[in-house]
Amino acid sequence: MAGEKFMTLLQDPLSAAQTLRATIQGARKETEETRRLAPQVVKGLIATGLCRLAVPATLGGHETEPVVALKVYEELAAAEASVAWIAWNNALPCLFSCHLADSVRAELFSDATILFANSTRPSGRALAVEGGFRVSGQWALVSGCELADWIPLMCVVTEGTESNRQASSGAPEMRMAYLPKGSYRILDTWHVGGLRGTGSHDMVVEDIFVPTERTFSFMDPKLLNRTLYRMPLGATLAAGGAAICLGIAQTAIDTLLDLAVSKGQVDAGSGLRDRAAIQMMVAEAGAAIDASRLLLHAAIDDLWTTCNQEMPVTDRQRVRMWAGAFHAAKVAKEVVTAMYEAAGASALYVDCPLERAHRDI
């Protein structure tokens, strides 16, 4: 019932993201100071399901087409990059779930209030025992761990002698294990400049049992044969990260345009709005962002069409997606830097969105 009710609330994730903008912007100071998303923002993300873009529709999720997800991440990032990062980061455990049995997937994802974090760093050990694994280790940069109800963590599998178990390739076997809240400790390590609101602390697990069915390897077959879960995982995630960068860059451009109108002139000569060099720079920056967005969206749409037709993804398509993601991120960084420098002393103040954009990018 919870899933069915949730599905009736959210038909358009992009509109939901746009509706949340005022709440997110109003909580920017609190998000920055507490180093985690403000409660009202978390409540909004849960209510709109924007952390469930990759949850199957049969479980009350959006199961969103990737190009729509990119637009959502960009919209959220334009308001606050840390919010976009958490929404994007929640998609990973949802996409991972294609390797889980239907019953386990339902257990983890049917509740629309559940949030996730994850770490794909293999900095833990999973000791193989009867019925599952005993997990121990410490993981860094676990974004949103304070908010999460479940956290899948990457582990190196060990045998009874605690020597690494080998995969068929001869490399050490890796498995992701889903751990519930309460089975780990969070270390307060996230004292940083950029993306401060993501709460990406370290976490420690000490000899916790995880049943086999709540673990998987990326080499395991996919048990969910739907278009979204046939998409190449790495390339899809890279596109999401790039979309966040584009949102930050768009805010940088918009902020400089606002400053050009409102900023007083203290020196002799033309103000920001009347300088031809600034006008040209802003125009070029806007065109570069628009072009990068078009390439990114076209590349992921191409992958979506191929996966929807159940055709094999080619290496050329993967290359185009990765190239589009890296290009968008690079252009976004250049744009933010240019806008920050053009703004002068105004960009130094923490209440100026350019100051935050410069750190977050």
Side-chain angles (χ1 to χ4, degrees), residues 206-222:
E206 297 173 340
D207 194 32
I208 296 296
F209 175 76
V210 180
T212 301
E213 60 269 21
R214 263 203 275 120
T215 74
F216 72 90
S217 163
F218 288 111
M219 304 305 294
D220 291 344
K222 293 184 177 182

Side-chain angles (χ1 to χ4, degrees), residues 310-327:
E310 299 192 50
M311 299 290 288
V313 172
T314 68
D315 288 344
R316 186 177 294 275
Q317 287 176 303
R318 293 177 192 270
V319 167
R320 187 182 184 216
M321 185 72 266
W322 280 102
F326 278 112
H327 176 73

Side-chain angles (χ1 to χ4, degrees), residues 264-278:
Q265 183 65 18
V266 296
D267 302 319
S270 302
L272 274 178
R273 64 183 295 171
D274 298 316
R275 298 178 197 170
I278 295 293

Side-chain angles (χ1 to χ4, degrees), residues 321-346:
M321 185 72 266
W322 280 102
F326 278 112
H327 176 73
K330 179 176 181 290
V331 167
K333 183 179 179 182
E334 291 169 351
V335 166
V336 171
T337 300
M339 299 302 111
Y340 180 84
E341 291 176 352
S346 298

Side-chain angles (χ1 to χ4, degrees), residues 206-282:
E206 297 173 340
D207 194 32
I208 296 296
F209 175 76
V210 180
T212 301
E213 60 269 21
R214 263 203 275 120
T215 74
F216 72 90
S217 163
F218 288 111
M219 304 305 294
D220 291 344
K222 293 184 177 182
L223 304 178
L224 189 58
N225 187 26
R226 298 169 69 88
T227 304
L228 180 59
Y229 310 98
R230 290 194 289 268
M231 293 284 288
L233 181 63
T236 301
L237 296 177
I244 294 173
C245 294
L246 292 177
I248 297 170
Q250 189 61 59
T251 286
I253 294 173
D254 293 343
T255 302
L256 187 70
L257 289 173
D258 289 342
L259 283 173
V261 174
S262 62
K263 186 175 182 178
Q265 183 65 18
V266 296
D267 302 319
S270 302
L272 274 178
R273 64 183 295 171
D274 298 316
R275 298 178 197 170
I278 295 293
Q279 294 170 5
M280 180 63 72
M281 182 188 68
V282 171

Side-chain angles (χ1 to χ4, degrees), residues 22 34 54 79 98 110 150 159 165 167 188 194 200 242 273 276 278 283 296 318 327-328 341:
T34 60
C98 67
S110 292
W150 288 93
E159 302 283 10
R165 195 159 80 181
D188 186 359
S200 302
R273 64 183 295 171
I278 295 293
L296 190 69
R318 293 177 192 270
H327 176 73
E341 291 176 352

Side-chain angles (χ1 to χ4, degrees), residues 23-59:
T23 299
I24 294 169
Q25 290 179 324
R28 276 169 62 89
K29 186 173 185 291
E30 182 177 355
T31 292
E32 181 83 351
E33 290 178 348
T34 60
R35 296 173 295 132
R36 60 185 293 178
L37 301 192
Q40 60 269 39
V41 174
V42 176
K43 182 179 179 181
L45 289 173
I46 292 173
T48 56
L50 293 182
C51 288
R52 292 169 60 82
L53 296 181
V55 171
T58 54
L59 296 178

